[in-house]
Amino acid sequence: CYLCKRNMQEGDPAVYAERAGYDKLWHPGCFVCCICGELLVDMIYFWKNGNLYCGRHYCDSERPRCAGCDELIFSNEYTLAEGQNWHLKHFCCFDCDCVLAGVTYITVNDNPVCKSCYVKNHAAV
């Protein structure tokens, strides 16, 4: 088995993945996504750099995912803030929803807040 490295016994069911090549076989329970462990038997699978992936994790390896909407980001313009990727329109002030991409903001209780809302709602007077 390509994953667990145990020998396949004669008569055991085996999974063959055409994209991986003719020399690789898996036990049905070992044919899983290398990231989340989702069982891929009878599912769409992806093969990349010697690893099996479910659809979600293969896509994550190709494109960043927005922390705001959990969708893939296909645009070349997006922002990296607070250690995560965001569509430009999804990185917003927690108080007023104005877009924060490219502007100064303050983090309050792990939430981004624009300067105006910070002064109005959070700053000590």
Side-chain angles (χ1 to χ4, degrees), residues 2 17 20 26 30-35 40 45-48 50-54:
Y2 186 75
W26 289 262
C30 293
F31 195 69
V32 297
C33 174
C34 68
I35 303 295
L40 299 174
Y45 72 91
F46 296 85
W47 179 255
K48 179 180 175 183
N51 292 303
L52 289 168
Y53 292 89
C54 65

Side-chain angles (χ1 to χ4, degrees), residues 49-92:
N49 299 329
N51 292 303
L52 289 168
Y53 292 89
C54 65
R56 177 180 180 90
H57 290 112
Y58 173 76
C59 290
D60 286 350
S61 77
E62 296 292 310
R63 302 295 307 178
R65 189 171 293 275
C66 177
C69 69
D70 200 38
E71 296 292 323
L72 293 175
I73 301 171
F74 290 102
S75 171
N76 288 331
E77 291 185 12
Y78 61 95
T79 191
L80 175 62
E82 301 301 312
Q84 299 182 77
N85 298 299
W86 305 78
H87 288 111
L88 293 177
K89 65 183 180 183
H90 290 159
F91 186 63
C92 302

